Amino acid sequence: MTEVIAKENPNYFLRNAWYVVALSSEVDTQALFSRTVMNEPIVLLRGASGQISALQDRCPHRFAPLSLGKRKGDNIECIYHALEFNAVGECIHNPHGNQRVPGACAVKRYATVEQDGFIWLWMGEPEQAQLALVPNNSLYTEQPETAVGHVYMYNRCSYDLIIDNVMDLSHVDHLHGPLINTAGKLSEQIPKVSEPDDNRVHIRWDWIADPAMLLLREHLPRPEDKADQFVEVTWQAPSHMHLCVGAVQDSPHFHRDGAVLYDFHTVTPETESTTHYFFASSRNYLLGDGDYNRAKMAGMTEAFTQEDKPVIEAQFKNMQGRGFWELKPVVLSSDAGGLRVRRVFERMLKAEQAPVEGGV
Amino acid sequence: MTEVIAKENPNYFLRNAWYVVALSSEVDTQALFSRTVMNEPIVLLRGASGQISALQDRCPHRFAPLSLGKRKGDNIECIYHALEFNAVGECIHNPHGNQRVPGACAVKRYATVEQDGFIWLWMGEPEQAQLALVPNNSLYTEQPETAVGHVYMYNRCSYDLIIDNVMDLSHVDHLHGPLINTAGKLSEQIPKVSEPDDNRVHIRWDWIADPAMLLLREHLPRPEDKADQFVEVTWQAPSHMHLCVGAVQDSPHFHRDGAVLYDFHTVTPETESTTHYFFASSRNYLLGDGDYNRAKMAGMTEAFTQEDKPVIEAQFKNMQGRGFWELKPVVLSSDAGGLRVRRVFERMLKAEQAPVEGGV
Amino acid sequence: MTEVIAKENPNYFLRNAWYVVALSSEVDTQALFSRTVMNEPIVLLRGASGQISALQDRCPHRFAPLSLGKRKGDNIECIYHALEFNAVGECIHNPHGNQRVPGACAVKRYATVEQDGFIWLWMGEPEQAQLALVPNNSLYTEQPETAVGHVYMYNRCSYDLIIDNVMDLSHVDHLHGPLINTAGKLSEQIPKVSEPDDNRVHIRWDWIADPAMLLLREHLPRPEDKADQFVEVTWQAPSHMHLCVGAVQDSPHFHRDGAVLYDFHTVTPETESTTHYFFASSRNYLLGDGDYNRAKMAGMTEAFTQEDKPVIEAQFKNMQGRGFWELKPVVLSSDAGGLRVRRVFERMLKAEQAPVEGGV
């Protein structure tokens, strides 16, 4: 069977929003870093002062990727004819003829913010970028290094399917191996869904586990005994998900007395058919244990790449380029969160793409 | 050059017909077996009693392939959220929330018949499946195991080109190596073509060989002498071909006194550009010789994969996605059978796709 | 990211023109040689007398590539059903039935000329092929073998981008390594552009180098001193470029007293997205030195494949199937030659595709 490629459809993406374009650790002060978002090739450059620039990765002269070029300090010289662009995308040197820089000689710059181990990109007009909308992940910055990890993964599917995956954690009951398996406890309940505000959807499951999830069990007083457990996910438009998974015994205070995992998952469309997936993870126990941290990060990455990813990519391929609603999906109680997200997202998309009143 | 992919065109296929979807030996009682027919992903399951089920290989909830799921006895549990489907495609367990199974929660089932070493699939509505239309290949069942073989091959071409290939065996004069080469004897005659009934086309060549085809020669009284030979093919809609190749000396009775090969070839469209090819083969000599049987099956498979397949795939690629008639093919006398098949097939396709009288 | 494939668009090509289809050395008297030009598969055959035939590489019967067939002297027998075609594309033998050759049984032949180490193909009607339009490269024939080289390279880009590359040699200042780098001397001047006639564009740069280009330096009296240098390119429709690069000291006569390289570059579209690139090269020094010749040819080939090709292919991919003008390229002084070529080419294309006066 041929690989499925969804048709290019710019109307499918919310542009006035922040997306993670790279892990902070992916972009150094020496190289140029290239990544495509919503079909737009983007070059990232970290200046000597550490500041990030994000520019259209296409020289306006003959369309060579600037990411193939040379760094000139904090500027980029195009590999092909040596036009030089500064960190805001202005051409500041043209070695040709009278050396005058043509008026239109500039590349689009994107607003960026670096925060909490991620480089955030605003896909709308840079002037309209709202710093207040960057998701707060200060938790991952405040923790010691030995208790934090950041991961990047590439996926051959549309990004909405990964949001569905995280919003409906009932799949952990069935799809995942013993380390994080929840043994049917999520599926059997009706999760609580709410909308804390206009661009957020919250979903939560609570249950009594006997014993607790394997990953958390050993960090409880009596590993083999019953424990209270919960999972909650807060989606924040357009594609960010804050997760929390906890277990506790003999106390109502998960975060203080129990073992809790904190995760941030976010997806960024490369194209309609391919997705960048980033996550950060931390916890409230063994904060100084770097070996445990490495093993935990490796285990989580493997759970996704070995268990979720093959199924989601097969799901996307099985959709054969057709839309989600077109395929008339059967709705289960566990879909409550994911469907609420789709509704909020579609409302925002419609608003963004509506003709401006009084405009043309 | 880029790989040629014909556009998806459901009108190209005859649906109210039986197709081979798998060899019996491909589907066991432990695993789940996946194959795509006419762009539809299908999962095959063999129940404990040996019974075959064929279901749409796409969960109606989130479209994961059921073939990635777990067997629960004769049922399939979806890998993603554990909906369980029985052998007729009904969802019989939903572990979510109140566990009620939503009304629409079912997958399409396909009518199947297992017969003569093949699993047959009806692509139209299962209620309309007509058992009488399954081609009769009881010959291959009645022979001892040491005289029968079944083979599956995958091809990057449209399926009509393989039908043409088998209906015009004059190519054996030119394309094939010494084992089965017919040295110009088919091309030089005008084959006899007839239509035994509405959905069958028969073609036959008779000739005097000097000596007989290498593969048969040694099974005649005087291998190096002249022999009477014949080949006949009966196409049966939509894509089944019964072959017979015989040589005899000093007798008018090929089947009783000569050496005869019996073949059944059938093709099933995976997509407009890719084809499943199955064949079964037997003979009327050395019936108990398993070593000969293995060598003969290997030789026939190699003849197709080394000689026919590269040419047919190159032919398809060379057509660059254009239709057979659009390319204005030159007609030779040997095409009589293949063209008759195209005419019958096109008539059946037109009839199937005609609006029902009195209908909407 | 997915590979970019431009849509098939026959209006993009100038047909009434000569293109190089192969190096003379690629086509021998034993084999059949296949190459696609403007989406048309073509088979080349060199007859016993050395004469080249170019035929449509698609049998009119069932569309198998004739290049898979057998040579019968200077004819081709189709591999599939043994129709035999002579060197002008007529079917001269049909082994089927009454052996009459059907009227329409012929393949298109293309006019060809073999000259100066290349096989030239006329893509329009053969009757209209004008020998006078074949570019003159007798220089490469007149030189001793130890001073001439011919190369073929395959590129995943549209052919116009390679014409741009050669017409704007200011890129040599920036893109290329020390062997041929020109250290900014081309970019800093306004090249002289002219149109010697209706289907030619000439561009020339002159400068004082200190010292000369590394490749030429050692062939001057005082390698480390200043030298006069020039580069000129003459584009000839549709896609042929004659280059000359020279350095001289103490004389106004580059060709007599200096070191000069002579190059012929030409590109032939395989499809809208892929390009055949051929070049020939010679010089006016060390004419008898075969080792130098081999090293020089290898160095030039490596310069293109390691330095130009990756950038041009990335440029093409970055254009994402959109047209050159659609992307609103910024114009620099060095583009003068390339843009003039685009204008002449577009004028010729418009003329060729204009409805004939008084015609239908």
Side-chain angles (χ1 to χ4, degrees):
Chain A
M1 282 274 286
T2 309
E3 191 187 344
V4 170
I5 307 286
K7 273 219 221 88
E8 202 173 312
N9 178 8
N11 297 330
Y12 176 64
F13 301 128
L14 204 59
R15 295 194 65 88
N16 292 318
W18 292 101
Y19 293 88
V20 171
V21 61
L23 304 178
S24 287
S25 60
E26 290 183 292
V27 186
D28 65 33
T29 56
Q30 307 305 312
L32 295 165
F33 184 86
S34 166
R35 185 154 280 156
T36 292
V37 175
M38 298 181 191
N39 299 306
E40 299 180 18
I42 294 168
V43 56
L44 299 177
L45 170 147
R46 183 184 295 282
S49 67
Q51 179 73 19
I52 291 290
S53 302
L55 304 175
Q56 170 186 322
D57 192 13
R58 195 179 75 205
C59 181
H61 172 229
R62 288 299 161 110
F63 324 127
L66 293 181
S67 56
L68 295 181
K70 289 174 210 152
R71 289 191 62 144
K72 296 275 191 173
D74 290 359
N75 296 338
I76 304 177
E77 184 184 284
C78 180
I79 191 175
Y80 204 1
H81 302 92
L83 294 180
E84 186 176 342
F85 298 87
N86 67 13
V88 294
E90 297 161 347
C91 179
I92 51 103
H93 182 55
N94 165 19
H96 297 267
N98 64 10
Q99 306 209 355
R100 220 168 45 82
V101 173
C105 194
V107 290
K108 178 176 176 178
R109 80 171 175 91
Y110 297 83
T112 57
V113 173
E114 185 164 18
Q115 198 170 285
D116 309 320
F118 295 116
I119 298 168
W120 298 86
L121 188 76
W122 178 265
M123 287 300 289
E125 293 307 312
E127 299 72 31
Q128 297 178 5
Q130 299 175 52
L131 284 181
L133 292 181
V134 178
N136 179 4
N137 284 298
S138 56
L139 168 74
Y140 303 95
T141 308
E142 291 155 8
Q143 297 280 65
E145 270 187 29
T146 47
V148 181
H150 289 80
V151 170
Y152 166 73
M153 298 178 295
Y154 185 77
N155 296 275
R156 299 199 169 276
C157 63
S158 58
Y159 75 117
D160 58 311
L161 301 186
I162 300 181
I163 297 176
D164 280 346
N165 177 259
V166 178
M167 290 306 291
D168 179 5
L169 291 176
S170 77
H171 78 266
V172 179
D173 283 345
H174 314 290
L175 182 60
H176 287 298
L179 193 68
I180 58 170
N181 194 283
T182 39
K185 290 299 188 176
L186 277 70
S187 300
E188 73 187 21
Q189 60 182 290
I190 310 282
K192 286 172 282 302
V193 178
S194 63
E195 296 186 33
D197 63 32
D198 271 5
N199 72 343
R200 243 170 267 258
V201 172
H202 176 269
I203 186 165
R204 181 176 171 114
W205 293 262
D206 283 278
W207 72 98
I208 295 164
D210 186 10
M213 185 189 281
L214 183 56
L215 183 61
L216 298 178
R217 200 180 295 171
E218 295 173 40
H219 311 290
L220 296 180
R222 301 180 311 280
E224 299 306 323
D225 273 13
K226 281 192 186 175
D228 290 318
Q229 278 220 241
F230 83 102
V231 184
E232 64 181 1
V233 189
T234 307
W235 171 81
Q236 179 175 3
S239 57
H240 315 307
M241 289 154 296
H242 306 266
L243 272 83
C244 208
V245 186
V248 72
Q249 286 169 330
D250 315 320
S251 162
H253 302 297
F254 283 96
H255 298 271
R256 194 189 68 193
D257 302 326
V260 183
L261 300 169
Y262 307 100
D263 272 17
F264 174 68
H265 293 236
T266 187
V267 281
T268 302
E270 181 186 53
T271 67
E272 287 77 0
S273 314
T274 53
T275 296
H276 307 296
Y277 188 170
F278 304 89
F279 75 87
S281 185
S282 190
R283 62 190 182 275
N284 76 338
Y285 60 89
L286 295 182
L287 297 188
D289 189 338
D291 287 344
Y292 179 84
N293 197 51
R294 271 184 293 280
K296 187 199 114 186
M297 291 308 299
M300 288 177 66
T301 305
E302 194 181 314
F304 183 80
T305 55
Q306 302 299 310
E307 293 167 351
D308 294 279
K309 179 181 160 87
V311 170
I312 300 173
E313 292 186 346
Q315 170 194 11
F316 180 70
K317 194 173 161 186
N318 229 13
M319 292 174 75
Q320 297 180 316
R322 276 171 284 176
F324 178 78
W325 294 115
E326 184 187 346
L327 286 168
K328 301 196 173 71
V330 160
V331 173
L332 305 180
S333 55
S334 307
D335 293 320
L339 292 180
R340 195 78 71 97
V341 164
R342 285 187 179 267
R343 242 170 281 137
V344 173
F345 182 86
E346 285 158 14
R347 191 184 66 215
M348 294 178 80
L349 198 60
K350 203 169 161 187
E352 179 173 298
Q353 293 172 2
V356 177
E357 266 185 69
V360 182
Chain B
M1 282 276 285
T2 309
E3 194 187 342
V4 170
I5 307 288
K7 273 217 222 86
E8 202 173 312
N9 178 9
N11 296 331
Y12 177 66
F13 302 127
L14 204 59
R15 295 193 66 90
N16 292 319
W18 293 101
Y19 294 88
V20 171
V21 61
L23 304 178
S24 287
S25 60
E26 290 182 294
V27 185
D28 64 32
T29 55
Q30 307 305 312
L32 296 165
F33 184 86
S34 166
R35 185 154 279 158
T36 292
V37 175
M38 299 182 191
N39 299 306
E40 299 180 17
I42 294 168
V43 56
L44 298 177
L45 171 146
R46 184 183 294 284
S49 67
Q51 179 74 19
I52 291 290
S53 303
L55 304 176
Q56 171 187 321
D57 192 13
R58 194 180 75 204
C59 180
H61 172 228
R62 289 298 162 110
F63 324 126
L66 293 180
S67 56
L68 295 181
K70 289 176 211 152
R71 288 191 63 143
K72 297 274 192 174
D74 290 0
N75 296 338
I76 304 177
E77 184 184 284
C78 181
I79 191 176
Y80 204 1
H81 302 92
L83 293 180
E84 187 175 341
F85 298 87
N86 67 14
V88 294
E90 297 161 347
C91 179
I92 51 103
H93 181 55
N94 165 18
H96 296 266
N98 64 10
Q99 306 208 357
R100 220 168 44 83
V101 173
C105 195
V107 290
K108 177 175 176 179
R109 81 171 175 91
Y110 297 83
T112 57
V113 172
E114 185 165 18
Q115 198 169 284
D116 308 319
F118 294 115
I119 299 167
W120 298 85
L121 188 75
W122 178 265
M123 286 302 288
E125 292 307 311
E127 300 71 32
Q128 297 178 6
Q130 300 176 54
L131 283 182
L133 292 181
V134 178
N136 178 4
N137 285 297
S138 55
L139 169 74
Y140 303 95
T141 308
E142 290 155 8
Q143 296 280 67
E145 269 187 31
T146 46
V148 181
H150 289 78
V151 171
Y152 166 72
M153 298 178 295
Y154 184 78
N155 296 276
R156 300 200 167 276
C157 64
S158 59
Y159 75 118
D160 57 313
L161 301 187
I162 299 181
I163 297 176
D164 280 345
N165 176 261
V166 179
M167 289 307 290
D168 179 4
L169 290 176
S170 78
H171 78 266
V172 179
D173 283 344
H174 314 291
L175 182 61
H176 287 299
L179 193 68
I180 59 171
N181 194 283
T182 40
K185 290 296 188 179
L186 277 70
S187 300
E188 73 187 23
Q189 61 182 290
I190 310 279
K192 289 173 281 301
V193 177
S194 62
E195 297 185 31
D197 62 32
D198 271 5
N199 71 345
R200 242 171 270 257
V201 172
H202 176 267
I203 185 165
R204 181 176 172 113
W205 293 262
D206 282 278
W207 72 99
I208 296 165
D210 185 11
M213 185 189 281
L214 184 55
L215 183 61
L216 298 178
R217 200 180 296 172
E218 295 174 39
H219 312 290
L220 297 180
R222 302 180 310 282
E224 298 307 322
D225 274 12
K226 282 190 186 178
D228 291 317
Q229 278 219 243
F230 82 101
V231 184
E232 63 181 2
V233 189
T234 306
W235 171 82
Q236 180 176 1
S239 57
H240 315 307
M241 288 153 297
H242 307 264
L243 272 83
C244 208
V245 186
V248 74
Q249 286 169 331
D250 316 319
S251 161
H253 303 296
F254 283 97
H255 298 271
R256 193 189 68 194
D257 302 327
V260 183
L261 301 169
Y262 307 99
D263 273 18
F264 174 67
H265 292 237
T266 187
V267 282
T268 302
E270 182 188 53
T271 67
E272 288 78 358
S273 313
T274 54
T275 295
H276 307 295
Y277 188 170
F278 305 88
F279 77 86
S281 185
S282 190
R283 62 189 181 275
N284 76 339
Y285 60 89
L286 295 183
L287 298 188
D289 189 338
D291 287 343
Y292 179 84
N293 196 52
R294 269 184 294 280
K296 188 200 113 187
M297 291 308 298
M300 290 178 64
T301 305
E302 193 180 315
F304 183 81
T305 55
Q306 301 299 309
E307 293 166 354
D308 294 279
K309 179 181 161 87
V311 170
I312 301 173
E313 292 186 346
Q315 170 193 10
F316 180 70
K317 193 173 159 184
N318 230 12
M319 293 174 75
Q320 298 180 316
R322 277 172 282 176
F324 178 78
W325 294 114
E326 183 187 346
L327 285 169
K328 302 194 170 70
V330 160
V331 172
L332 305 180
S333 55
S334 307
D335 293 320
L339 292 181
R340 195 78 72 98
V341 164
R342 285 186 179 268
R343 241 169 283 136
V344 174
F345 182 86
E346 284 158 16
R347 190 184 67 216
M348 295 178 80
L349 198 60
K350 204 171 159 184
E352 180 173 298
Q353 294 171 3
V356 178
E357 267 186 68
V360 182
Chain C
M1 283 274 287
T2 309
E3 193 187 343
V4 170
I5 308 287
K7 273 217 221 89
E8 203 174 312
N9 178 8
N11 296 331
Y12 176 65
F13 301 128
L14 204 59
R15 295 194 66 89
N16 292 318
W18 292 101
Y19 294 87
V20 171
V21 61
L23 303 178
S24 287
S25 59
E26 291 183 293
V27 185
D28 64 32
T29 56
Q30 308 305 311
L32 296 164
F33 183 86
S34 166
R35 184 155 280 157
T36 292
V37 175
M38 300 182 189
N39 300 306
E40 298 181 16
I42 294 168
V43 57
L44 299 177
L45 171 146
R46 184 184 294 283
S49 67
Q51 179 74 20
I52 292 289
S53 302
L55 303 175
Q56 170 187 322
D57 192 13
R58 195 180 76 204
C59 180
H61 172 228
R62 288 299 161 111
F63 324 126
L66 294 180
S67 56
L68 294 181
K70 288 175 210 153
R71 288 192 63 145
K72 295 275 192 174
D74 290 357
N75 296 338
I76 304 177
E77 184 185 284
C78 181
I79 191 174
Y80 203 2
H81 302 92
L83 293 181
E84 187 176 340
F85 298 87
N86 67 13
V88 294
E90 297 161 349
C91 179
I92 52 104
H93 182 56
N94 166 17
H96 296 267
N98 64 11
Q99 306 208 355
R100 219 169 44 83
V101 173
C105 195
V107 290
K108 177 176 176 180
R109 81 170 175 92
Y110 297 83
T112 57
V113 172
E114 185 165 19
Q115 198 171 284
D116 310 319
F118 295 114
I119 299 167
W120 298 86
L121 188 77
W122 178 265
M123 287 300 290
E125 293 307 312
E127 300 71 31
Q128 297 178 6
Q130 300 175 53
L131 283 181
L133 292 181
V134 178
N136 179 3
N137 285 298
S138 56
L139 169 75
Y140 303 95
T141 309
E142 290 156 8
Q143 297 280 66
E145 270 188 29
T146 47
V148 181
H150 289 78
V151 171
Y152 167 72
M153 299 177 294
Y154 184 76
N155 297 274
R156 301 199 167 276
C157 64
S158 58
Y159 75 118
D160 58 312
L161 301 187
I162 299 182
I163 297 176
D164 281 344
N165 176 259
V166 179
M167 289 307 289
D168 179 5
L169 291 175
S170 76
H171 79 266
V172 179
D173 283 343
H174 313 291
L175 182 61
H176 287 299
L179 194 67
I180 57 171
N181 194 283
T182 39
K185 290 297 187 178
L186 276 71
S187 300
E188 72 187 22
Q189 60 182 291
I190 310 281
K192 287 174 282 299
V193 177
S194 63
E195 296 187 31
D197 62 31
D198 270 6
N199 72 343
R200 244 171 268 258
V201 172
H202 177 268
I203 185 165
R204 181 177 171 113
W205 293 262
D206 282 279
W207 72 98
I208 297 165
D210 186 10
M213 187 189 276
L214 183 56
L215 182 60
L216 297 179
R217 199 180 296 172
E218 295 174 40
H219 312 291
L220 296 181
R222 302 180 310 282
E224 299 306 323
D225 273 10
K226 282 190 184 176
D228 289 318
Q229 278 219 242
F230 82 101
V231 184
E232 62 180 4
V233 189
T234 305
W235 170 81
Q236 181 176 0
S239 57
H240 315 307
M241 288 152 298
H242 306 265
L243 272 82
C244 209
V245 186
V248 74
Q249 285 168 331
D250 315 319
S251 161
H253 302 297
F254 283 97
H255 298 272
R256 194 190 68 193
D257 302 327
V260 183
L261 301 169
Y262 307 99
D263 272 20
F264 175 67
H265 293 237
T266 187
V267 282
T268 302
E270 182 187 54
T271 67
E272 287 78 358
S273 314
T274 53
T275 295
H276 307 296
Y277 188 170
F278 305 89
F279 76 87
S281 185
S282 190
R283 61 189 182 277
N284 75 339
Y285 60 89
L286 295 181
L287 298 187
D289 189 339
D291 288 343
Y292 179 84
N293 196 54
R294 271 185 292 281
K296 188 200 111 185
M297 292 308 297
M300 288 178 64
T301 305
E302 194 181 314
F304 183 81
T305 55
Q306 301 299 310
E307 293 166 353
D308 294 278
K309 180 181 160 87
V311 170
I312 301 173
E313 292 186 347
Q315 170 193 9
F316 180 70
K317 193 173 161 185
N318 230 13
M319 292 174 73
Q320 296 180 316
R322 277 171 283 176
F324 178 77
W325 294 115
E326 183 187 346
L327 285 169
K328 301 196 173 68
V330 160
V331 173
L332 305 180
S333 54
S334 307
D335 293 320
L339 292 181
R340 196 78 71 97
V341 163
R342 285 186 179 267
R343 243 170 281 137
V344 173
F345 182 87
E346 284 159 15
R347 191 184 65 215
M348 296 178 77
L349 197 61
K350 204 171 160 185
E352 179 173 299
Q353 294 172 3
V356 178
E357 265 185 69
V360 181

